[in-house]
Amino acid sequence: SQKIEQNSEALNIQEGKTATLTCNYTNYSPAYLQWYRQDPGRGPVFLLLIRENEKEKRKERLKVTFDTTLKQSLFHITASQPADSATYLCALDEDTGANSKLTFGKGITLSVRP
Amino acid sequence: KAGVTQTPRYLIKTRGQQVTLSCSPISGHRSVSWYQQTPGQGLQFLFEYFSETQRNKGNFPGRFSGRQFSNSRSEMNVSTLELGDSALYLCASSLAVGARTQYFGPGTRLTVL
């Protein structure tokens, strides 16, 4: 069966460290993989998109890798800050055509302590 | 530019009732998608509309329906509510079908008693 796993429900780290969040999937062939951030009581906010033929994408302190052989994406936040505390969702998009249907993981809640 | 707006923000209904939720996309966005979010199942895709036509549908029963108007605003309806329908319902808009990035609204928190 199809499954998206985000490695843990919660991740606690010290301010200034690098947070690494994992997204594993089985029985999917995503053309794109996206990461979103969700704060309590709010809708998800798009962070980064990476295509199947890209290995890595960066944006400021954020970095995403995508390994279609391992069926895994890693999301890194360097020099983490308490303001980075939120739930992070990965989303797979298998469609390469006009129709886009995102399938989300359940998310990882990151807590950055001062 | 204003973001995606959803009304109402909170709603309490009883089993058997029906409910209609509304979503106004970002100006210029023509595609609207709906998602259900629960602690147990996470964020699940309901359907997507573009140019007043349903383009894609998730695995939800027929009690869940939607529509889109000519101004791209969208509504979703849930009939014969069940306790398990209690969830956060999120609307997301994008420029067009196939545009990968989704812009989410704040959601409508539905509680079914």
Side-chain angles (χ1 to χ4, degrees), chain A residues 32 34 36 38 41-44 46 49 89 93 95 97-102 104 106, chain B residues 9 35 37 40-43 45 48 55-56 88 90 97-98 100-102 104-106:
Chain A
Y32 305 84
Q34 302 185 36
Y36 287 77
Q38 187 173 23
R42 307 186 77 168
F46 170 78
L49 177 152
L89 304 158
D93 182 353
D95 291 335
N99 294 326
S100 174
K101 184 179 82 171
L102 292 181
F104 284 83
K106 292 187 180 180
Chain B
R9 292 293 312 278
Y35 295 82
Q37 187 173 35
Q41 298 299 317
L43 203 60
F45 173 78
E48 178 181 21
R55 297 294 299 266
N56 220 338
L88 181 66
L90 291 158
V97 174
R100 303 348 273 202
T101 302
Q102 305 257 323
F104 284 84

Side-chain angles (χ1 to χ4, degrees), chain B residues 33-98:
Chain B
S33 298
W34 288 90
Y35 295 82
Q36 180 196 68
Q37 187 173 35
T38 59
Q41 298 299 317
L43 203 60
Q44 293 185 286
F45 173 78
L46 281 158
F47 26 66
E48 178 181 21
Y49 285 87
F50 178 77
S51 291
E52 303 177 63
T53 302
Q54 188 180 91
R55 297 294 299 266
N56 220 338
K57 190 176 189 306
N59 297 322
F60 278 82
R63 299 185 298 106
F64 292 82
S65 63
R67 59 178 176 168
Q68 187 181 34
F69 302 95
S70 58
N71 61 358
S72 296
R73 193 176 69 83
S74 177
E75 289 181 347
M76 70 162 279
N77 183 277
V78 188
S79 62
T80 319
L81 284 166
E82 301 177 359
L83 295 179
D85 297 333
S86 294
L88 181 66
Y89 289 89
L90 291 158
C91 165
S93 74
S94 57
L95 277 170
V97 174

